[in-house]
Amino acid sequence: MSRLDLRNGSVEMVHGSGGRAMGQLIEELFARALRNEWLDQRNDQAQFELPPGRVVMATDSHVISPLFFPGGDIGSLAVHGTINDVAMAGARPCYLAAGFILEEGFPLADLARIVESMAAAAREAGVPVVTGDTKVVEHGKGDGVFITTTGVGVVPPGLHLSGDQARPGDRILLSGSIGDHGVTILSLREGLGFEADIGSDSQALHGLVAAMLAAVPEIRCLRDPTRGGLGNTLNELARQSGVGMQLVERAIPVREPVRAACEFLGLDPLYVANEGKLIAICPAERAERLLEAMRAHPQGREAAIIGTVVADEHRFVQMETPFGGSRMVDWLSGEQLPRIC
């Protein structure tokens, strides 16, 4: 049997049949790129030890369009997104699983590029992909490739971060500028050219989280503002904790190209997706120390204190404008940016 044609070949239905062709796809593409001691065992599952603590598990499906974009692709995004979901519990991400839905006719060269990007992202993060699955659907029944990743991590004893822990008087911190990922994807999709000046912020944040917790273990909750952006995520946290939030608009970092693109497109950066930022809520007396720790880390250099948790039975999120007024930051209505992750 000849080797896979990774230059000119494409996915065929037989690659999902469970036979020799599927074995070849796994061996010559997936196993070669993602190689580690667990995949080398060629079992249908992975067996592993975990350090002491509570086990955290998160799963994420990725349907982003386009598949490749400045700052990443669906492969690296699948790794980063799931690692970040695990890390927001204060956990150390340990292992990943990946499931691929491939469309018949999808170029093997593109698939190889995606898998190699996933492998590179996993290696850089130190979180291996230890098991997986591949299915193939008929041409026209998919859109190239969809990826589902599941992550497992461990929270050390004594640590409990949750979205229901915010208390009136707490400070709200943001790790950096918002809107980069969403504007990059929309610009590329519509051929607007803004992505030349921006690029996705997709990155794994567990290193930043570890540094933050080492400096301020009293952090109450963490959340990454992905779909729905900062505005939706803060509404989620306010609802969970039964509190209100008061933001300061001028304190929220937004890059000028993102601001300009949003103005041109009629978008509010507060609701544009991010893939490499986090929100932290902590007691007021620890906020400056936490800010210092975040800014000392490469992924938190633009960190800022952007608001305060307040008592509010209505659980409203409000924002002080640069002109001294106030506006509601409500839940996002409708779908602003479909298939953003």
Side-chain angles (χ1 to χ4, degrees):
M1 190 175 189
S2 59
R3 295 182 65 85
L4 281 178
D5 184 357
L6 295 178
R7 182 185 297 261
N8 300 306
S10 60
V11 173
E12 302 174 14
M13 290 303 298
V14 70
H15 286 133
S17 68
R20 182 174 295 175
M22 182 173 177
Q24 184 181 32
L25 179 70
I26 292 171
E27 290 294 328
E28 295 184 20
L29 201 161
F30 289 99
R32 177 179 294 177
L34 295 164
R35 184 173 183 178
N36 55 61
E37 61 182 280
W38 296 274
L39 291 181
D40 286 348
Q41 296 173 21
R42 300 299 189 266
N43 291 322
D44 287 340
Q45 74 293 117
Q47 302 177 46
F48 45 76
E49 300 289 338
L50 289 170
R54 298 192 318 280
V55 176
V56 173
M57 183 169 67
T59 194
D60 225 345
S61 295
H62 303 271
V63 299
I64 192 168
S65 176
L67 299 174
F68 304 97
F69 47 86
D73 55 59
I74 192 172
S76 59
L77 180 67
V79 170
H80 295 157
T82 299
I83 285 176
N84 290 345
D85 284 347
V86 171
M88 293 307 109
R92 170 193 161 197
C94 298
Y95 303 102
L96 292 169
F100 285 74
I101 304 296
L102 308 177
E103 183 184 14
E104 179 187 20
F106 187 67
L108 287 175
D110 286 347
L111 180 59
R113 181 179 168 191
I114 288 167
V115 175
E116 287 164 4
S117 175
M118 171 179 274
R123 282 193 302 270
E124 183 179 0
V127 185
V129 178
V130 298
T131 189
D133 186 50
T134 303
K135 297 291 192 297
V136 178
V137 298
E138 299 90 343
H139 182 70
K141 298 294 182 63
D143 193 6
V145 57
F146 299 146
I147 303 175
T148 295
T149 41
T150 298
V152 175
V154 175
V155 178
L159 182 65
H160 180 67
L161 305 183
S162 177
D164 62 0
Q165 298 295 307
R167 299 291 180 264
D170 288 349
R171 297 296 185 263
I172 306 164
L173 292 86
L174 178 65
S175 66
S177 59
I178 59 171
D180 295 40
H181 176 75
V183 167
T184 297
I185 299 306
L186 181 61
S187 175
L188 193 63
R189 191 183 294 167
E190 303 299 331
L192 301 175
F194 291 114
E195 74 277 2
D197 300 317
I198 307 170
S200 172
D201 60 347
S202 178
Q203 56 185 337
L205 296 170
H206 57 307
L208 173 61
V209 170
M212 292 166 62
L213 287 169
V216 181
E218 301 93 339
I219 292 172
R220 305 224 199 255
C221 61
L222 298 171
R223 191 69 57 89
D224 55 333
T226 52
R227 283 172 297 172
L230 179 66
N232 246 36
T233 304
L234 290 176
N235 273 281
E236 290 174 3
L237 293 172
R239 181 183 63 181
Q240 280 184 264
S241 290
V243 297
M245 296 185 180
Q246 183 65 51
L247 310 179
V248 179
E249 185 173 3
R250 66 176 179 274
I252 299 172
V254 183
R255 297 182 197 276
E256 195 50 46
V258 171
R259 193 184 303 278
C262 286
E263 289 179 1
F264 178 79
L265 297 167
L267 301 175
D268 186 336
L270 291 176
Y271 299 100
V272 177
N274 311 275
E275 289 293 343
K277 301 298 187 301
L278 64 80
I279 298 163
I281 297 178
C282 75
E285 64 272 15
R286 301 296 282 154
E288 290 296 335
R289 176 69 188 98
L290 181 57
L291 181 64
E292 179 184 344
M294 293 170 75
R295 288 180 172 174
H297 192 278
Q299 294 175 329
R301 288 174 181 153
E302 297 178 318
I305 299 172
I306 63 167
T308 301
V309 178
V310 298
D312 183 356
E313 63 180 11
H314 301 294
R315 307 178 186 185
F316 289 154
V317 179
Q318 302 183 65
M319 185 167 67
E320 176 188 319
T321 70
F323 307 103
S326 181
R327 57 166 280 203
M328 289 288 296
V329 179
D330 206 349
W331 292 87
L332 178 64
S333 178
E335 179 62 89
Q336 183 170 244
L337 298 170
R339 295 186 62 182
I340 206 71
C341 59

